[in-house]
Amino acid sequence: MPLSAPIPLNLTNLKQRTFSCHDLLPLQSDSLWKIERGVVRTLTCSEEGRSIVLGFWGPGDVVGKPLSRLDPYQIECLTSAEVSLLPSHLWYQVMDAWILHAQESEELLSIVHNRPVNLRLLQLLNWLARKFGREVEGGKLIELPLTHQALSEVICTTRVTVTRLLNQFEQEGILNRRGRFLILGRQK
């Protein structure tokens, strides 16, 4: 009797949970979180207690302790988020998301190691606009509640430097502000 292929389980039947902005997703060694709605960031901290941002993740992405060897490791909601708990026996169904996770982590690592700092910030804003931005008049609106401090933590600089550079980018017409969000102009 021939063996049949396993019947794929429907990922839409997974139990979904909702978390509020600034909540931490619980870490489990045998499960991942699949983001259905919202944005989270993964972090660790240095021995001095400084936050180190590891990545930003949105709908379709997977996050979780099995993707990291770092300790401490946290997953913080930047917006309200709806996530599905994905047990290990279903991980094969999100292999594309795993590959994307690795690629985007490498992109961020590359950005962090660029010099000078204004190039790092501009590349980070471009990366955020590609991943999370939506087209509006004048460019891409990055609707993420990122403070100057949060941006500075990603590119390893000070909040004061990020504030100065954002003001400079605004004067140069590279970006505009819409409330507390940024619109990154179309780059030539």
Side-chain angles (χ1 to χ4, degrees):
M1 182 162 133
L3 294 175
S4 60
I7 299 170
L9 297 170
N10 187 349
L11 291 181
T12 60
N13 292 335
L14 295 174
K15 181 175 165 102
Q16 294 185 349
R17 290 184 58 188
T18 302
F19 292 88
S20 298
C21 185
H22 303 298
D23 283 353
L24 298 178
L25 299 185
L27 300 179
Q28 299 184 12
S29 61
D30 61 348
S31 297
L32 296 171
W33 292 105
K34 181 175 180 283
I35 302 167
E36 307 295 342
R37 181 187 53 78
V39 178
V40 303
R41 69 178 179 168
T42 49
L43 325 120
T44 190
C45 64
S46 68
E47 289 184 15
E48 302 86 34
R50 184 178 53 84
S51 290
I52 299 171
V53 176
L54 304 171
F56 297 93
W57 315 102
D61 290 330
V62 293
V63 293
K65 185 60 178 159
L67 296 176
S68 178
R69 291 184 177 169
L70 298 174
D71 186 29
Y73 178 81
Q74 293 182 328
I75 306 166
E76 177 189 20
C77 296
L78 292 177
T79 65
S80 65
E82 190 172 300
V83 296
S84 298
L85 191 61
L86 190 64
S88 60
H89 70 278
L90 296 179
W91 291 356
Y92 72 93
Q93 292 190 35
V94 292
M95 191 58 66
D96 288 348
W98 279 38
I99 292 168
L100 187 60
H101 188 99
Q103 291 169 337
E104 290 179 344
S105 293
E106 286 183 352
E107 281 183 276
L108 280 175
L109 184 61
S110 172
I111 289 169
V112 168
H113 285 281
N114 275 318
R115 301 246 187 266
V117 71
N118 64 328
L119 180 59
R120 284 199 308 262
L121 180 57
L122 189 55
Q123 286 180 332
L124 174 63
L125 293 174
N126 276 302
W127 186 88
L128 291 168
R130 276 193 318 276
K131 184 160 177 71
F132 300 106
R134 69 176 171 88
E135 289 291 333
V136 296
E137 187 176 328
K140 280 207 172 180
L141 175 64
I142 305 170
E143 286 182 294
L144 291 178
L146 294 173
T147 63
H148 295 189
Q149 180 64 38
L151 291 169
S152 73
E153 290 169 355
V154 178
I155 60 170
C156 304
T157 191
T158 66
R159 180 199 52 77
V160 172
T161 299
V162 166
T163 300
R164 179 181 52 80
L165 288 172
L166 289 175
N167 289 335
Q168 178 185 327
F169 291 165
E170 193 170 13
Q171 289 172 357
E172 294 171 1
I174 294 171
L175 66 83
N176 291 303
R177 298 176 200 259
R178 180 181 287 175
R180 57 184 231 194
F181 301 124
L182 301 175
I183 299 174
L184 189 63
R186 291 174 183 81
Q187 308 288 305
K188 295 176 179 138

